[in-house]
Amino acid sequence: MRSYIVFSQVEDLPTVKGDFYALGHIPNIIGAIDRTHVTLVHPRRSEQVYRNQKSYHSMNVQMVFLADQYISHVNAKFPGSVHDAYILRNSSIPYVMGQLQRHCVWLLGDSGYPNLSWLLTPVRNPRTRAEEGYNEAHGRTSRIIERTFGLLKATFRCLHMTGGSLFYSPKKVCQIIVACCMLHNLALRRQVPFLQEDGLDEGVVAAVEPVDGEDEEVEEEDIDNRNSVILQYFQ
């Protein structure tokens, strides 16, 4: 996994930031973070633990994407019932981003995440044109999440509900998810052709939209950095 799923290194930051800026004109973004569910047949003794808020059984998978659809981080070890913000806090992401803070870089996430010093989320109730402009730019940039989840699950149908639930232990399901992400990155790096975007199954793409966090009230812990971005670039 460490050979094929690698978080952005310091020497790569200028290129990564430039690629993201081209998507939505938000500066200093080095990754887009979100979650999706992969269905499985639950263990008999812990059925409720794997039942998510959509009332089916799954692993709640957190990933970080680059602008070219490369997967730079995957955390697939938590069951579907676990809250998304909890997964973030108990992953390596806070430590890694803390190490990169002197480079003034951020991840982009949806409203299911708290707004942190290293994580930019949308403004929930925009009141100014600058805030609306920021939200629009945030939306343009974060579309890479939906496209990448769609490409990943259209390529590896075992990760999509149309392929049926995975009949393996949670540990084995985690290994399958990580293996698919490794193969996805390997194909990108070796320029193996994927399905063309206009040829993707629309039903698959629609069904693998990132987990909607709009109904989860998550406290915005640090909005100073977001306000600075809005004032400097969207005023």
Side-chain angles (χ1 to χ4, degrees), residues 71-211:
I71 300 169
S72 63
H73 168 84
V74 58
N75 189 339
K77 66 182 180 180
F78 289 98
S81 64
V82 175
H83 194 278
D84 306 314
Y86 178 87
I87 297 176
L88 176 65
R89 289 194 299 268
N90 289 277
S91 70
S92 61
I93 293 298
Y95 173 79
V96 172
M97 292 303 296
Q99 296 295 107
L100 294 174
Q101 275 301 278
R102 63 189 179 89
H103 298 283
C104 299
V105 293
W106 301 299
L107 296 181
L108 210 67
D110 67 14
S111 298
Y113 288 107
N115 197 90
L116 304 171
S117 60
W118 46 266
L119 177 59
L120 294 175
T121 63
V123 177
R124 290 178 183 166
N125 299 298
R127 299 178 180 177
T128 66
R129 288 186 177 180
E131 290 178 344
E132 291 174 353
Y134 163 80
N135 275 4
E136 290 175 3
H138 191 290
R140 289 196 303 272
T141 307
S142 60
R143 288 193 193 109
I144 193 64
I145 297 170
E146 179 183 341
R147 291 200 299 270
T148 307
F149 275 138
L151 181 61
L152 180 68
K153 290 193 175 185
T155 304
F156 302 99
R157 285 297 178 104
C158 62
L159 302 183
H160 188 260
M161 60 183 61
T162 58
S165 298
L166 288 168
F167 283 79
Y168 301 97
S169 68
K171 180 179 179 180
K172 179 65 72 174
V173 170
C174 294
Q175 293 172 339
I176 291 171
I177 294 167
V178 171
C180 291
C181 293
M182 291 167 59
L183 289 169
H184 170 91
N185 283 352
L186 184 61
L188 282 176
R189 291 299 178 248
R190 295 191 177 181
Q191 299 182 336
V192 176
F194 285 94
L195 292 170
Q196 296 299 315
E197 261 192 56
D198 57 4
L200 291 178
D201 187 328
E202 293 183 2
V204 171
V205 175
V208 297
E209 290 182 1
V211 180

Side-chain angles (χ1 to χ4, degrees), residues 47-59:
E47 179 271 339
Q48 198 61 32
V49 174
Y50 292 90
R51 185 182 293 275
N52 59 42
Q53 61 184 346
K54 304 290 187 180
S55 296
Y56 63 89
H57 301 95
S58 66
M59 300 301 296

